[in-house]
């Protein structure tokens, strides 16, 4: 398991989870064991995600992931991974509670059946709703973003897609690799090529092509900064 430093310790994290779920939704006695048994798997996924980040609050120079449950963005990512682990292990009621806890505390909708990539990053994501799209690795989003369906069809997002504040991607849309969707942009049932900045609203989008390096140099991920 990758090294992860939990600033309140794993016992403190267990106590925090137990109390938060109990206070908000009731935690049955029989749910405590599966909740805690799946904690290591969720922490491992959290560590992998954090260690890919170039943000000093997420990873140390000694290749240790830093996890502060009182950092809203970090706790959001962890709770998503925990709810997804519970879902994958058929603990559906408990997955509901952890998902709802994330929604209650952090004010965004990351449903546990959504398959977010191994590595993603969020920046003040209040008000965002991510639907059942296909998400490529190194996905990033900000506040009030929406990814959703249109007539039951959902988008496909490539690697290093970045949604800035208020961006929307819905329906039969395919975004290539290295795509930045600018603040307030609205994409519906359209394809966006690699290495593109998107402005405006469908069907009248403005697409600006840039070299790959443009998208990598501002990436929040180590792998892109080192490229």
């Amino acid at each position: 398991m990758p090294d992860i430093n939990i600033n309140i310790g794993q016992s403190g994290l267990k106590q925090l989870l137990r109390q938060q779920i109990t206070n908000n939704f009731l935690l049955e006695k029989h749910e405590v064991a599966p909740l805690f048994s799946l904690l290591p798997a969720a922490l491992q996924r959290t560590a992998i995600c954090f260690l890919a980040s170039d943000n000093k609050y997420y990873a140390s120079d000694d290749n240790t992931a830093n996890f502060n449950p009182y950092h809203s963005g970090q706790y959001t990512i962890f709770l998503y991974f925990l709810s997804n682990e519970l879902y994958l292990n058929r603990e559906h009621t408990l997955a509901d509670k952890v998902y709802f806890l994330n929604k209650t505390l952090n004010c965004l909708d990351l449903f546990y059946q959504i398959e977010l990539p191994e590595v993603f990053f969020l920046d003040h994501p209040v008000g965002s709703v991510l639907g059942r799209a296909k998400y490529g690795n190194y996905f990033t989003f900000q506040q009030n973003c929406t990814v959703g369906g249109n007539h039951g069809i959902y988008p496909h997002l490539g690697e290093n897609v970045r949604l800035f504040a208020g961006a929307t991607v819905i329906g039969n849309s395919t975004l290539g690799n290295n795509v930045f969707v600018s603040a307030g942009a609205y994409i519906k049932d359209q394809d966006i090529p690699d290495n593109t900045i998107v402005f405006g609203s469908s069907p009248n989008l403005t697409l600006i092509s840039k070299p790959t390096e443009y998208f990598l140099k501002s990436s929040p991920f180590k792998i892109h900064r080192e490229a």
Side-chain angles (χ1 to χ4, degrees):
M1 176 176 171
D3 290 335
I4 183 166
N5 175 39
I6 307 169
N7 77 335
I8 61 173
Q10 191 163 146
S11 60
L13 179 61
K14 288 180 177 179
Q15 183 180 353
L16 181 67
L17 280 169
R18 187 170 188 166
Q19 187 162 333
Q20 286 177 333
I21 297 172
T22 300
N23 289 349
N24 286 279
F25 313 112
L26 302 180
L27 183 64
E28 305 293 342
K29 288 183 179 180
H30 69 272
E31 292 178 320
V32 175
L35 176 67
F36 291 165
S37 69
L38 293 171
L39 196 58
L43 286 171
Q44 180 173 16
R45 293 172 67 183
T46 300
I48 291 170
C49 186
F50 286 10
L51 285 170
S53 175
D54 196 42
N55 188 301
K56 65 181 180 181
Y57 296 109
Y58 285 72
S60 302
D61 293 336
D62 63 355
N63 207 34
T64 298
N66 296 322
F67 177 28
N68 176 8
Y70 304 127
H71 182 294
S72 179
Q74 294 182 8
Y75 203 44
T76 295
I77 293 171
F78 163 73
L79 288 176
Y80 161 73
F81 283 133
L82 180 59
S83 65
N84 184 251
E85 282 294 329
L86 289 162
Y87 164 70
L88 293 174
N89 286 273
R90 299 185 178 182
E91 295 288 344
H92 294 165
T93 300
L94 197 49
D96 281 333
K97 294 177 182 181
V98 175
Y99 153 69
F100 201 4
L101 179 65
N102 204 2
K103 192 173 183 179
T104 300
L105 293 175
N106 300 305
C107 302
L108 79 167
D109 198 317
L110 289 180
F111 190 47
Y112 51 75
Q113 290 187 27
I114 304 303
E115 295 183 14
L116 288 178
E118 180 180 66
V119 175
F120 67 97
F121 187 76
L122 44 82
D123 189 15
H124 306 293
V126 173
S128 290
V129 179
L130 301 187
R132 300 173 186 270
K134 291 187 177 179
Y135 298 90
N137 228 6
Y138 310 112
F139 171 61
T140 306
F141 66 100
Q142 296 182 349
Q143 67 267 29
N144 296 317
C145 292
T146 300
V147 179
N150 183 30
H151 299 293
I153 301 175
Y154 289 83
H156 291 203
L157 280 60
E159 287 198 357
N160 196 30
V161 169
R162 192 168 185 175
L163 305 184
F164 288 85
T168 297
V169 183
I170 63 171
N172 190 20
S173 300
T174 299
L175 279 58
N177 300 324
N178 303 317
V179 171
F180 286 1
V181 184
S182 65
Y186 176 84
I187 302 172
K188 177 185 176 185
D189 299 333
Q190 287 191 251
D191 293 344
I192 310 298
D194 294 350
N195 303 315
T196 301
I197 306 174
V198 184
F199 297 91
S201 298
S202 293
N204 301 309
L205 294 172
T206 298
L207 307 181
I208 298 179
S209 297
K210 293 282 187 179
T212 300
E213 293 74 19
Y214 175 90
F215 300 91
L216 300 186
K217 71 180 182 180
S218 63
S219 169
F221 304 108
K222 292 176 182 176
I223 191 171
H224 298 147
R225 296 296 184 90
E226 295 168 355

